[in-house]
Amino acid sequence: MPKSGQSEINAATRLCAVLGSPVAHSASPAMHNAAFAALALNWRYLAFEVNPKNLRAAIEGAKAMNFAGLNLTVPHKLLALEMVDELDVSAKVWGAVNTINFQNGRAIGFNTDADGIATSLREDLKIKLRGARVLLLGAGGAGRTAALKLASEGVSELFLANRTFSKILELQNEIAKKFPAVYVGLNYPKDSKAKIDLVLNATSIGLKKNDGLPFDGNQFSQNQARAVYDMIYRPAETRLLAAAKKSGCKTANGLGMLLHQGAKAFEIWTGKSAPLDVMRRALGQNIYGH
Ligand code: ATR
């Protein structure tokens, strides 16, 4: 039996899916299926475990079977840059594809992650990015997108810290070329008295139960931060967020980012406004059980 509001699956059902590895814990199917049902669309969203070596075949297969669209998650976002027929400007600017729209037999690659980050920071922390001083922890895929997006939003100073130093050096060079007005500091800010408007965790530290803090306590103190955002949303409150709350910072986890990248993808596929409240509720239900 379909859930209330959900149409029967039939020969006219349009399909979307997320491709990833691992993908079993993805909350995207819950979020998008709730949105399709709320708008009474005869659409469904699935999740497929796809090994990177089969990514091209999976994208081609979805195109051949007239899927409406795809999301891509770890580890496919960079690989897909070479596998679509066309790159939307968002994928070119941010250098990664997390959304594909199939149109007239062509696969068009988009990036909705970058906008998702900025929208969530504004909505959940009520922060003004232009002119802000930011410390970004992590320079993997998510950290790189966040750094470029923050630079494009006109933050004044961006401090980058990462276990592997070469990645922040590379990122510093990239930002210097694309957004020369932004000061990029390598490692933690030297002046321990000056406040940092936003600390953004884009490392995977905090995902595991016994994880500590994602910054070096000898080089940076929690008290320097005004607001702290953790891209991790499972658990809902990492050690970083708990400590930040305790010291009186504004805090938010990465659920809003997941929501807004999904909402943007939904709008690209369907051409309709995303039902944000429905999608937020579905994510909460799926991830936290309430
Ligand atoms: P994502 O796509 O989520 O960004 P990723 O590209 O694997 O995933 O990036 C993970 C980030 O967490 C990186 O910044 C990584 O640091 P390295 O660039 O040095 O690998 C960071 N990270 C993961 N485990 C870590 C650990 N134990 N200590 C410090 N940093 C860690």
Side-chain angles (χ1 to χ4, degrees):
M1 272 289 284
K3 279 198 202 169
S4 87
Q6 218 172 30
S7 55
E8 293 281 351
I9 293 175
N10 57 28
T13 303
R14 301 297 319 272
L15 289 179
C16 294
V18 56
L19 313 183
S21 184
V23 81
H25 290 101
S26 172
S28 291
M31 167 169 67
H32 285 290
N33 285 318
F36 294 150
L39 270 63
L41 293 172
N42 183 10
W43 291 45
R44 288 294 196 281
Y45 187 108
L46 303 168
F48 294 105
E49 175 81 28
V50 173
N51 186 296
K53 72 177 192 312
N54 296 323
L55 181 62
R56 188 182 294 278
I59 294 172
E60 284 301 315
K63 178 163 72 174
M65 290 191 292
N66 199 29
F67 271 50
L70 294 173
N71 280 140
L72 304 172
T73 187
V74 177
H76 298 324
K77 294 181 189 185
L78 295 183
L79 294 171
L81 283 168
E82 313 297 323
M83 297 178 184
V84 291
D85 300 309
E86 201 181 306
L87 290 173
D88 175 71
V89 61
S90 58
K92 284 187 196 152
V93 173
W94 311 118
V97 173
N98 78 313
T99 299
I100 293 177
N101 193 31
F102 295 110
Q103 245 175 20
N104 307 321
R106 288 170 66 73
I108 305 165
F110 293 76
N111 185 299
T112 69
D113 283 333
D115 281 354
I117 295 168
T119 306
S120 177
L121 288 172
R122 289 205 175 90
E123 192 174 285
D124 299 326
L125 291 177
K126 311 276 179 285
I127 201 166
K128 190 169 153 268
L129 294 174
R130 182 157 298 280
R133 302 180 77 228
V134 180
L135 169 61
L136 176 64
L137 308 166
R144 179 178 168 275
T145 303
L148 292 169
K149 181 66 179 173
L150 288 167
S152 84
E153 294 283 334
V155 299
S156 64
E157 294 173 65
L158 183 57
F159 297 91
L160 303 175
N162 192 50
R163 177 178 59 181
T164 309
F165 188 73
S166 59
K167 289 193 198 167
I168 55 175
L169 258 185
E170 237 172 75
L171 201 44
Q172 186 191 41
N173 282 329
E174 192 175 354
I175 295 172
K177 276 193 209 117
K178 292 184 174 159
F179 307 103
V182 178
Y183 168 82
V184 179
L186 297 177
N187 285 325
Y188 299 89
K190 297 272 180 290
D191 179 0
S192 61
K193 299 247 164 21
K195 283 272 184 190
I196 288 287
D197 298 304
L198 170 68
V199 173
L200 176 53
N201 180 38
T203 76
S204 47
I205 301 173
L207 280 171
K208 292 196 231 100
K209 208 168 176 292
N210 293 324
D211 279 350
L213 295 170
F215 61 81
D216 179 352
N218 293 321
Q219 300 196 62
F220 183 76
S221 148
Q222 182 72 66
N223 297 326
Q224 290 173 251
R226 289 201 168 98
V228 177
Y229 189 97
D230 200 328
M231 286 196 182
I232 294 171
Y233 53 83
R234 198 188 269 134
E237 191 174 277
T238 55
R239 191 158 293 183
L240 171 69
L241 290 186
K245 236 184 217 172
K246 221 169 151 190
S247 70
C249 284
K250 283 193 284 187
T251 60
N253 74 17
L255 197 80
M257 198 179 127
L258 178 65
L259 169 70
H260 287 292
Q261 65 74 32
K264 199 117 204 181
F266 181 95
E267 290 175 356
I268 289 168
W269 299 324
T270 65
K272 296 178 190 303
S273 290
L276 281 171
D277 289 342
V278 169
M279 294 170 87
R280 197 190 315 268
R281 262 200 308 280
L283 283 179
Q285 194 58 249
N286 180 271
I287 297 169
Y288 308 126
H290 55 79

